[in-house]
Amino acid sequence: MSTTAVTDAATATRPVAADRVRQVAVVVGAVLAVIGAFIGSGAAGGTPIQKAAGGALSADATMLSPAGPAFSIWSVIYLGLLGYAIWQALPSQAAKTRQRRIGYWMLASLLLNAAWILSVQFGMLALSAVLIAALLVVLIVAFVLLQRIPGGTTADAILFDGTTGLYLGWVMVATVANVTSLLVAAGFDGFGWSPHAWGMALVVVAAILGAALAIWDRGRLAPAIASAWGLAWIGVSRLTGTLESAPVAITAIAAAVVLLMIAVAVRVSGRGRSAADLG
């Protein structure tokens, strides 16, 4: 594709009424997601996520549960989502092809995010697993579309690509952890495997998914950093929590390091991206 074609793909024509509706809907979705986050933190009267659903998502509930500090990444993600929502609402962004193609996918992710928090608050662990899996699919679609429609601006790189990358990378690990919590809560016995073996196997699965994404997206840093962050905190949780497992901890921390190394290696190779392209 020529440079002119790329520029034309990122910059559309005049705004229409549907563009304004989309912009407002995304802003509303971002507000709902932030409200859900306050409820999920316990700051607005709700039960903190780690204590909700009978503690099924607490740091010591399963071998795949990250330590509490891991969830601080949500502060960065929500800040990025709010920044994205405000930026996409600017008149200059209304008719951009990127916004038109991906805006409603981002809105869906915001609504699924809020719905996931509510499902956990009401103790509906099975529904939470379905919702986070749906969120993962939506974010994959949004991420793929972002790769196909280059942005070319710093705002695109940080607020769109970067935020979506962090969001996707974290949700990849969170989905594996959420499904594991559901299986444990349902009494899954592991077909005779020990919890340690299952923990190691699932960590490897999460790492393989992250590595595959890093290779496919030519070493984008945001998804790899977020996934590695989640894996590392799983390792910390297995070393410092009441549910200790040295094998899972070593596997998780090693997986985080290897994932970052793969992303950096792909990035600096001939197929990699420029240093300014963090998404």
Side-chain angles (χ1 to χ4, degrees):
M1 181 181 292
S2 67
T3 302
T4 302
V6 170
T7 302
D8 289 343
T11 307
T13 55
R14 292 183 177 182
V16 296
D19 293 318
R20 303 305 186 192
V21 171
R22 185 195 66 249
Q23 288 179 301
V24 172
V26 170
V27 171
V28 172
V31 171
L32 290 175
V34 171
I35 291 174
F38 273 110
I39 294 174
S41 70
T47 304
I49 292 296
Q50 291 194 326
K51 294 182 179 180
L57 299 176
S58 67
D60 296 310
T62 76
M63 288 292 176
L64 270 291
S65 299
F71 298 95
S72 62
I73 194 174
W74 275 118
S75 298
V76 180
I77 293 172
Y78 281 124
L79 183 62
L81 288 171
L82 282 174
Y84 155 73
I86 295 170
W87 168 67
Q88 66 84 39
L90 297 176
S92 62
Q93 294 299 311
K96 292 291 181 69
T97 300
R98 260 191 154 204
Q99 305 293 358
R100 285 177 168 174
R101 291 283 304 278
I102 305 162
Y104 278 112
W105 289 104
M106 295 300 292
L107 173 61
S109 79
L110 293 166
L111 297 178
L112 285 167
N113 189 324
W116 179 84
I117 291 173
L118 290 176
S119 70
V120 176
Q121 288 289 308
F122 286 103
M124 295 183 287
L125 195 59
L127 178 59
S128 75
V130 173
L131 289 172
I132 201 167
L135 174 58
L136 177 60
V137 171
V138 166
L139 288 173
I140 289 172
V141 173
F143 192 74
V144 169
L145 289 173
L146 283 172
Q147 312 316 300
R148 292 179 177 176
I149 311 171
T153 69
T154 300
D156 274 292
I158 296 175
L159 297 176
F160 222 166
D161 299 86
T163 297
T164 305
L166 285 176
Y167 200 1
L168 172 59
W170 170 255
V171 169
M172 286 174 65
V173 175
T175 300
V176 175
N178 200 154
V179 172
T180 302
S181 296
L182 174 61
L183 292 174
V184 170
F188 177 64
D189 63 5
F191 300 119
W193 286 25
S194 72
H196 306 280
W198 269 108
M200 294 169 66
L202 290 173
V203 162
V204 170
V205 169
I208 289 173
L209 292 174
L213 180 63
I215 294 170
W216 176 82
D217 65 23
R218 294 184 293 151
R220 286 188 176 272
L221 295 181
I225 289 172
S227 291
W229 172 269
L231 290 169
W233 280 106
I234 289 173
V236 171
S237 190
R238 298 291 69 76
L239 288 175
T240 61
T242 59
L243 187 62
E244 294 184 4
S245 174
V248 175
I250 293 171
T251 302
I253 292 171
V257 173
V258 170
L259 174 54
L260 288 176
M261 290 175 63
I262 289 174
V264 172
V266 173
R267 189 180 188 84
V268 300
S269 71
R271 303 184 303 278
R273 295 177 179 272
S274 67
D277 192 356
L278 303 179

